[in-house]
Amino acid sequence: MIRRPPRSTLFPYTTLFRSKRVPRVIVLHDLSFVVHPEYYSPRALAWHVRMGMRAQANKASAIVVPSKATAKDVVRLWGIAEERVHVVEWGTPTGHEAGNMEHEAGGKRHRTVICIGTVGWRKNQSVLVEALAHLHDDPKFQDVRLCL
């Protein structure tokens, strides 16, 4: 077997990978731990500090973020060069390119809103539940279901 070093690496969020020879790309979901540390427990904040995310971002060849808002935070709060920050929006296609987003359950067809991630108070899923309750008042949206 021939072994070659990787030409680059992609790490979701953080890495303990310390090679200086291999370019690295990291994914930063957000900087909420910097912008709103009050939403984190002391243990969770300590983890973010131990991971050295700012230092990792400074060493990364590129940083992938899910939104323009996070990109602006990375540039503004951490002084990362704008050209190293790349927005790759998360989600699924909308409109006709999404195809058929209806599902059948209990003999009835319905549309589903899926919320992927940790369920917790700081993620504010209660807003989705409240919004769906309001949507159900409109007959056009009574088939919509929420999956947490």
Side-chain angles (χ1 to χ4, degrees), residues 104-121:
E104 190 168 323
K108 294 185 177 182
R109 297 193 66 73
H110 65 270
R111 295 173 287 172
T112 303
V113 174
I114 300 173
C115 177
I116 299 172
T118 304
V119 175
W121 67 271

Side-chain angles (χ1 to χ4, degrees), residues 5 10-11 17 23 27-28 42 55 57 74 76 78-79 86 91 96 98 107 123-125 129-130 136-137 139-140 143:
L10 171 67
F11 292 98
F17 183 74
V27 178
L28 284 175
V74 170
R76 180 175 57 87
W78 284 358
H86 306 274
H96 81 76
K123 298 292 185 168
N124 212 7
Q125 287 95 348
V129 174
E130 290 173 21
H136 279 173
D137 292 339
K140 292 184 292 193
D143 68 316

Side-chain angles (χ1 to χ4, degrees), residues 27-99:
V27 178
L28 284 175
H29 301 270
D30 59 50
L31 292 186
S32 60
F33 60 95
V34 174
V35 178
H36 291 289
E38 67 273 16
Y39 294 151
Y40 289 82
S41 68
R43 182 178 180 174
L45 281 175
W47 178 86
H48 283 86
V49 170
R50 273 194 317 277
M51 290 296 107
M53 293 187 201
R54 185 176 187 168
Q56 289 189 52
N58 281 316
K59 293 175 184 174
S61 303
I63 301 163
V64 174
V65 297
S67 69
K68 291 177 185 174
T70 299
K72 287 179 183 177
D73 284 347
V74 170
V75 171
R76 180 175 57 87
L77 297 171
W78 284 358
I80 304 292
E82 206 170 316
E83 60 271 6
R84 290 179 39 223
V85 183
H86 306 274
V87 176
V88 178
E89 294 179 349
W90 296 342
T92 59
T94 59
H96 81 76
E97 73 257 7

